[in-house]
Amino acid sequence: MTTPNLVEKLTAKAGLVSATVRAVASMDEAMAYVADVCVGKEVCQILASGCDAPLSGTAEALCETKQEKIICAPEMPEEAMAALSAQCAERGVKLITSGMRSHLGGIDIGLTMAAAGIAETGTVVIRSTNEEVRLASMIAEIHIAVLPASAIVADSYALEPVMVDWMSRPDFTAFVTGPSRTADIERVLALGVHGPLELHILILEDK
Amino acid sequence: MQDATTLKDYRKQLREALENDFQRQALDKFAVAYRTSRANAFADIDAPELIAEIAAAKDASIDHLEELFEEFKRHAEAAGTKVHLAATAHEANEIIARIAKENDVKTIVKSKSMTAEETHLNHLLEAEGFEVTETDLGEWIIQLRHEGPSHMVMPAIHLSRYQVADLFSEVTHKQQDVDIQKLVKVARRELRPKFCQADMGISGANFCIAATGSIGLITNEGNARLTTTLPRVHVALAGIDKLVPTLHDALRIIRCLPKNATGQAITSYVTWITGAVPCETAKGGTKVKHVVFVDNGRLAMARDPEFKQVLRCIRCGACANVCPIYRVVGGHKYGHVYIGAIGLVATYFFHGREKAKNLVQNCLNCGACKAVCAAGIDLPTLIKEVHARIQDEEGHPLYSTAVGQVLKNRKLFHTMLKSARLLQKPVTGGTPYLRHLPMFLFKDQDFRALPAVADEAFRDKWERIKPRVADAKLKVALFSGCVQDFVYPEQMEAAVAVIASKQGVSMEYPMGQSCCGLPLQMMGEKQAGRELAAHNMNAIDAQDFDYIVTLCASCASYLKHGYKRLFADDPAMAYKAAQFAHRVIDFSSFVRDVLGITDESFTGPSKKVTYHAPCHLCRGLGVTEAPRALLGEAGLEYVPATEEDVCCGFGGTFSVKFPELSKELLGKKLANLKATGASAMATDCPGCIMQIRGGFEAEKTPFEVRHVAEYLAERLKRK
């Protein structure tokens, strides 16, 4: 399959599992998108149950830890960080690259670079041996992954050689397909049970 | 968790479960939705081929589990994981408790693990004073309710949103809305602090990759990622059967598991963890990581030629999804810890005979589970085999032995059937049904009218009706089975007329033939079954015939597949059984595919006829098109029914043992047939006819229920 075909398939398959997929021409465009999403979202989307919703004492206390808009981008390339820092400074968003354990109540956006994409299932592959990446992509209400178009493969078998190499030392890698979901109550689909409520995939065009 | 001590007690529990209307409706909805979503998920994939690949790969691993364990241990320990092998469930729990103590652990979060359910890990940890919280939403709900899972993938499927809202109101001490989206968010926020505070995370493992020492975890909620990330200690608990040689083996299973479990292409998260990864709160910044493998009988099972295939199971739960019994009684009454068909088998091995002995009898042998199993496990056969083993261990019940003795002696059996014809006179009231049954003999059987024994058996008519063919090009032996021989001989006569309408086919009815033996397998009477099979193969010398034709789907399927299994340990008999099986064919396939009978043979006005697909025809023999096509060739308008291939609830001796379940399944079948708007139904099995016709008769609904052969025969052009 050619890259355009793979992009098309991944876009379609990810869409089926409630992921938002966008093509972006440059890293600058990607970072502007990230800032836009962050500014545009409500402070706390878990409001789905309402911050005034009745919770137990400990659960409410944890919610108190989040008071401002936060993006965590732990392992983004330098050019991305430069663009994103500028965007965040301008728009009053706090940008962090570490210290996720102080923000376990929630952050707005976790930004990651995907190591690969799997077209067949609409999956992004996030290498997250760095604990900050693991937490940013799980604790955030919205997970945004930048995926270089050239890193998309047809199916998971195509990733085997590279994954076996990763696995030759301590490693934590995740296939992420759509946002966190459950159907444990009456088989009704609900998004965002423990992880992100939304997954956005930004497919970065090859230069 | 099913734990009745007697069959009577178990039946009482089943009756109670049948009264759970919410569960019934929830499981009905799921069963119907699952069919479509599974089919969609596999639309672009050759499912049978993928399943065969998984089965072959798992079989190869099962033969080398100890070597794979050593290889896994070597790689995992090089990457900083400590690896353990526990001989028993209790030992596994103790290892985990010890790890917790050594690391000064107070609180524990868990992501879903059926293996931990198997070992009752939480009981031990809680008894040792640890605070344990399940973090999978469904598992958390049932933990709070002090229940076991009712499905391997959807543990709380038996509960309503109202019950969950009440439960969450109790837990938060605040009134919660009955709104699923809100309830899920309540769980998210209540559980998040548990993750933050936990010292140790316990996960299962869907795969343990020997070549790299990695584990793979499949979740939708993402709780396994948090469980393995936030706490400073991570322990993964896995059955030793979860070992696979390479990453490729794991990726292959992932291609199937979520599709087969819930119709998802893949779960939201697949997490691959190799070795001890960074962890800010751990000493030295590196997580304390352990993998505990549990044997608990698995290695012995791996050496058992009959049962090693149980270890292929990838825990997708599909065998429950399609099981007609699971659908009406739910998981708490259809498993001990492991639910569904695999649970009926696994309970015997993991939790013992006492827990298994009643459960294992609750199987229709309809084969729905086998048809969807992700690893191609022959579940119905294994269930019967467990039943046979339990009977061999505990002693056979008197009635069971007696039936075995009668059935394997053809003359005695047939004499008894003929005596029944005379003795039944007072109870038939001149009708073809047994009207006035002595109720102590047939308790709870009144949901269907039972047929009377015919005045003259087919075998006694044979010499009179046998077509004389001078130069036969095709030689056919007819196998009638007991029901068509003694109860419905008219079905056999119809078949003879249809076959005789083609020139050059000679038919024989070998008089020595007896019951096919399937009832004995259903009752766990394996030895008597072998003797009966040998008797039939002597009575019908396969070498003399091109085909052995039978109108009974159950007989056909058993003659074709069951006999070979019975003699798997006896090469000479196995060869004979294979020769025999090779010639066995069902009536509809024979007429359409071998004789090539088409619309030219038939005449008469059209009418609407619906169809019931017998389990042992559509799944047992894989025959789906022939009978439906034949109805069309005969000029009838075939009207499809909903769930045509779901069991009618007969299951031979099943309907006698569990009449309350048989009645439920029959009720669904009758409703689906009536909904077609037709008032006639064809099928290919006298057992199904007995059940369905008897059901309509009992509820006084005029509905014609006949064998495909009868519909064809009545429409044959006269020559």
Side-chain angles (χ1 to χ4, degrees):
Chain A
M1 248 194 272
T2 61
T3 301
N5 287 341
L6 291 172
V7 168
E8 196 183 319
K9 184 151 192 191
L10 182 134
T11 305
K13 293 290 180 180
L16 289 178
V17 288
S18 319
T20 305
V21 186
R22 284 287 173 86
V24 289
S26 67
M27 193 59 102
D28 282 358
E29 188 187 333
M31 295 307 108
Y33 176 88
V34 173
D36 281 348
V37 171
C38 189
V39 171
K41 79 185 275 290
E42 288 174 63
V43 179
C44 183
Q45 279 193 341
I46 315 288
L47 283 175
S49 65
C51 250
D52 50 337
L55 287 175
S56 66
T58 38
E60 285 193 340
L62 193 68
C63 266
E64 299 296 310
T65 61
K66 183 179 179 299
Q67 297 294 347
E68 57 195 329
K69 289 221 171 148
I70 304 172
I71 296 176
C72 181
E75 270 192 346
M76 293 300 289
E78 269 177 39
E79 61 154 325
M81 289 311 288
L84 187 59
S85 301
Q87 290 275 355
C88 288
E90 194 182 311
R91 305 171 84 166
V93 173
K94 181 173 173 180
L95 175 63
I96 60 173
T97 57
S98 62
M100 273 305 301
R101 279 188 185 259
S102 314
H103 296 283
L104 295 177
I107 60 167
D108 295 278
I109 291 179
L111 179 63
T112 61
M113 276 302 291
I118 303 171
E120 187 182 47
T121 46
T123 301
V124 287
V125 179
I126 309 292
R127 296 202 65 194
S128 41
T129 308
N130 178 342
E131 186 179 277
E132 302 292 349
V133 177
R134 257 179 278 156
L135 291 174
S137 59
M138 278 307 290
I139 298 298
E141 290 176 2
I142 300 178
H143 174 198
I144 303 183
V146 179
L147 169 64
S150 57
I152 304 175
V153 296
D155 58 30
S156 63
Y157 289 158
L159 286 177
E160 220 181 302
V162 60
M163 285 182 68
V164 168
D165 180 51
W166 298 342
M167 290 171 165
S168 65
R169 58 198 80 88
D171 181 83
F172 197 117
T173 293
F175 290 179
V176 178
T177 312
S180 159
R181 65 181 56 220
T182 187
D184 271 353
I185 306 176
E186 292 193 16
R187 287 181 49 254
V188 173
L189 177 67
L191 298 180
V193 55
H194 288 297
L197 286 76
E198 297 177 23
L199 171 70
H200 297 219
I201 303 172
L202 304 180
I203 301 180
L204 183 60
E205 287 172 20
D206 298 312
K207 284 180 187 152
Chain B
M1 190 176 281
Q2 200 299 118
D3 54 4
T5 50
T6 64
L7 190 62
K8 193 176 162 197
D9 201 17
Y10 181 39
R11 282 186 56 195
K12 183 165 165 276
Q13 291 185 10
L14 292 172
R15 282 193 291 273
E16 286 162 10
L18 288 174
E19 283 166 20
N20 183 341
D21 289 336
F22 171 79
Q23 175 171 273
R24 293 278 303 269
Q25 285 166 15
L27 296 180
D28 257 346
K29 260 168 62 186
F30 173 53
V32 173
Y34 171 74
R35 275 173 174 250
T36 315
S37 52
R38 181 182 188 270
N40 291 342
F42 279 113
D44 302 329
I45 282 188
D46 184 344
E49 189 187 305
L50 178 60
I51 288 168
E53 281 177 19
I54 291 172
K58 283 292 263 181
D59 281 349
S61 305
I62 291 163
D63 289 335
H64 302 282
L65 289 176
E66 280 150 312
E67 291 107 296
L68 290 173
F69 170 76
E70 291 304 330
E71 192 187 348
F72 179 90
K73 187 177 160 96
R74 202 166 62 244
H75 287 111
E77 296 201 333
T81 302
K82 186 95 176 51
V83 181
H84 312 258
L85 175 57
T88 63
H90 185 67
E91 199 180 313
N93 295 344
E94 283 188 324
I95 290 172
I96 295 171
R98 199 170 64 231
I99 295 169
K101 278 181 218 157
E102 283 168 5
N103 288 281
D104 201 20
V105 165
K106 302 271 182 301
T107 57
I108 298 172
V109 282
K110 270 183 73 206
S111 60
K112 192 163 176 299
S113 159
M114 279 308 297
T115 312
E117 297 282 352
E118 171 191 328
T119 66
H120 302 300
L121 174 62
N122 288 5
H123 293 197
L124 181 97
L125 292 177
E126 282 167 359
E128 299 261 350
F130 300 104
E131 185 198 315
V132 186
T133 307
E134 294 286 350
T135 61
D136 172 85
L137 175 58
E139 286 282 330
W140 188 50
I141 292 169
I142 60 168
Q143 183 191 28
L144 293 170
R145 288 174 56 94
H146 309 289
E147 289 180 328
S150 73
H151 188 281
M152 292 208 284
V153 177
M154 294 162 292
I157 193 173
H158 58 291
L159 297 172
S160 73
R161 65 189 79 190
Y162 301 95
Q163 288 166 295
V164 176
D166 286 349
L167 181 70
F168 284 7
S169 300
E170 246 174 72
V171 171
T172 57
H173 305 292
K174 313 263 170 73
Q175 189 57 43
Q176 298 296 344
D177 285 353
V178 185
D179 174 328
I180 290 173
Q181 300 301 328
K182 288 185 182 179
L183 291 168
V184 168
K185 297 300 181 290
V186 168
R188 174 187 175 108
R189 288 167 61 178
E190 290 294 329
L191 287 169
R192 185 64 64 82
K194 303 283 185 190
F195 284 117
C196 299
Q197 289 152 6
D199 304 304
M200 180 161 126
I202 299 176
S203 72
N206 293 92
F207 325 98
C208 302
I209 302 168
T212 59
S214 314
I215 64 166
L217 290 165
I218 298 180
T219 75
N220 275 314
E221 299 180 2
N223 59 317
R225 289 190 77 203
L226 288 175
T227 299
T228 57
T229 294
L230 284 168
R232 57 193 161 81
V233 183
H234 170 206
V235 180
L237 172 65
I240 195 166
D241 53 312
K242 290 290 172 282
L243 280 161
V244 293
T246 65
L247 173 63
H248 191 81
D249 297 292
L251 292 173
R252 185 193 296 115
I253 292 172
I254 292 174
R255 287 175 79 77
C256 189
L257 199 161
K259 295 185 182 77
N260 222 40
T262 55
Q264 279 180 282
I266 191 168
T267 49
S268 298
Y269 300 102
V270 179
T271 302
W272 306 97
I273 310 174
T274 309
V277 290
C279 176
E280 199 182 287
T281 50
K283 229 181 277 167
T286 301
K287 192 179 288 280
V288 176
K289 165 89 178 289
H290 292 260
V291 176
V292 179
F293 286 98
V294 62
D295 173 354
N296 202 22
R298 288 167 171 83
L299 290 173
M301 207 191 283
R303 288 186 287 272
D304 183 326
E306 263 167 334
F307 283 99
K308 61 189 273 192
Q309 56 173 315
V310 173
L311 299 176
R312 288 184 198 159
C313 176
I314 59 169
R315 308 278 186 265
C316 67
C319 55
N321 298 355
V322 298
C323 174
I325 300 173
Y326 171 81
R327 183 170 165 181
V328 295
V329 302
H332 286 151
K333 299 299 163 219
Y334 210 56
H336 179 63
V337 169
Y338 291 107
I339 315 278
I342 193 70
L344 266 57
V345 180
T347 299
Y348 171 72
F349 290 95
F350 296 147
H351 297 106
R353 193 167 70 206
E354 273 306 303
K355 302 282 189 287
K357 66 178 186 187
N358 300 309
L359 195 57
V360 76
Q361 300 181 54
N362 196 2
C363 169
L364 285 154
N365 197 28
C366 79
C369 49
K370 180 182 174 183
V372 294
C373 177
I377 304 172
D378 187 357
L379 290 156
T381 302
L382 295 183
I383 290 168
K384 299 306 162 202
E385 190 59 39
V386 168
H387 185 205
R389 279 199 190 186
I390 291 176
Q391 291 206 158
D392 287 348
E393 289 164 7
E394 289 204 325
H396 293 229
L398 211 54
Y399 70 87
S400 181
T401 315
V403 172
Q405 292 304 318
V406 170
L407 281 190
K408 75 180 189 188
N409 182 339
R410 184 193 72 79
K411 285 186 180 149
L412 173 62
F413 176 44
H414 286 175
T415 306
M416 284 174 73
L417 282 171
K418 287 180 182 175
S419 319
R421 187 176 74 224
L422 303 172
L423 293 170
Q424 74 191 356
K425 290 276 190 253
V427 293
T428 58
T431 70
Y433 296 99
L434 304 176
R435 292 278 171 210
H436 316 288
L437 287 172
M439 283 324 289
F440 66 92
L441 274 179
F442 294 92
K443 199 166 173 286
D444 304 327
Q445 292 291 329
D446 54 345
F447 63 94
R448 57 175 178 193
L450 289 167
V453 174
D455 285 341
E456 190 179 17
F458 178 74
R459 61 177 57 242
D460 297 328
K461 297 182 178 193
W462 177 244
E463 273 310 311
R464 288 202 314 274
I465 64 166
K466 176 183 174 179
R468 315 286 154 178
V469 176
D471 51 345
K473 290 191 273 302
L474 211 55
K475 292 176 75 179
V476 169
L478 297 173
F479 186 89
S480 66
C482 327
V483 178
Q484 280 166 331
D485 190 355
F486 287 91
V487 180
Y488 299 135
E490 66 275 14
Q491 295 174 9
M492 288 301 294
E493 291 177 71
V496 170
V498 174
I499 294 171
S501 74
K502 273 278 177 188
Q503 301 259 308
V505 187
S506 77
M507 283 175 269
E508 288 297 331
Y509 183 82
M511 285 294 162
Q513 64 181 277
S514 190
C515 167
C516 68
L518 179 60
L520 294 178
Q521 165 159 330
M522 287 292 287
M523 296 171 76
E525 293 294 330
K526 205 175 170 189
Q527 187 46 40
R530 272 168 75 110
E531 290 174 41
L532 188 50
H535 168 91
N536 279 327
M537 291 194 289
N538 278 332
I540 304 176
D541 190 346
Q543 306 293 345
D544 290 349
F545 300 99
D546 298 303
Y547 290 97
I548 301 167
V549 175
T550 169
L551 279 71
C552 172
S554 296
C555 297
S557 154
Y558 193 61
L559 297 177
K560 204 162 182 73
H561 302 304
Y563 279 22
K564 284 186 282 187
R565 275 196 305 266
L566 282 175
F567 298 107
D569 59 350
D570 180 340
M573 285 303 282
Y575 177 77
K576 198 170 176 183
Q579 291 292 309
F580 188 85
H582 179 66
R583 289 168 171 78
V584 171
I585 189 168
D586 65 286
F587 170 78
S588 286
S589 298
F590 179 71
V591 169
R592 191 188 71 146
D593 303 337
V594 179
L595 298 185
I597 291 183
T598 62
D599 57 354
E600 289 168 13
S601 299
F602 303 107
T603 182
S606 182
K607 70 169 173 180
K608 286 184 177 177
V609 178
T610 185
Y611 183 71
H612 163 67
C615 302
H616 296 155
L617 190 76
C618 67
R619 286 179 292 274
L621 295 172
V623 175
T624 54
E625 280 174 32
R628 294 173 173 98
L630 281 173
L631 295 175
E633 295 292 342
L636 295 160
E637 185 193 343
Y638 156 57
V639 194
T642 306
E643 305 204 309
E644 250 176 42
D645 60 358
V646 174
C647 184
C648 64
F650 180 57
T653 49
F654 173 88
S655 61
V656 179
K657 211 173 253 177
F658 297 101
E660 49 281 308
L661 300 184
S662 183
K663 177 185 175 181
E664 288 299 323
L665 303 183
L666 176 59
K668 280 179 193 284
K669 177 56 70 180
L670 299 186
N672 285 330
L673 293 171
K674 283 185 278 191
T676 60
S679 54
M681 184 212 86
T683 190
D684 292 83
C685 179
C688 305
I689 291 175
M690 190 190 289
Q691 173 89 342
I692 297 170
R693 192 187 280 173
F696 279 128
E697 175 70 20
E699 65 169 44
K700 304 281 172 232
T701 300
F703 207 105
E704 182 182 85
V705 176
R706 300 173 81 190
H707 197 281
V708 169
E710 295 175 279
Y711 284 103
L712 300 188
E714 72 176 10
R715 303 173 69 82
L716 279 175
K717 280 183 186 160
R718 306 272 165 236
K719 287 190 179 145

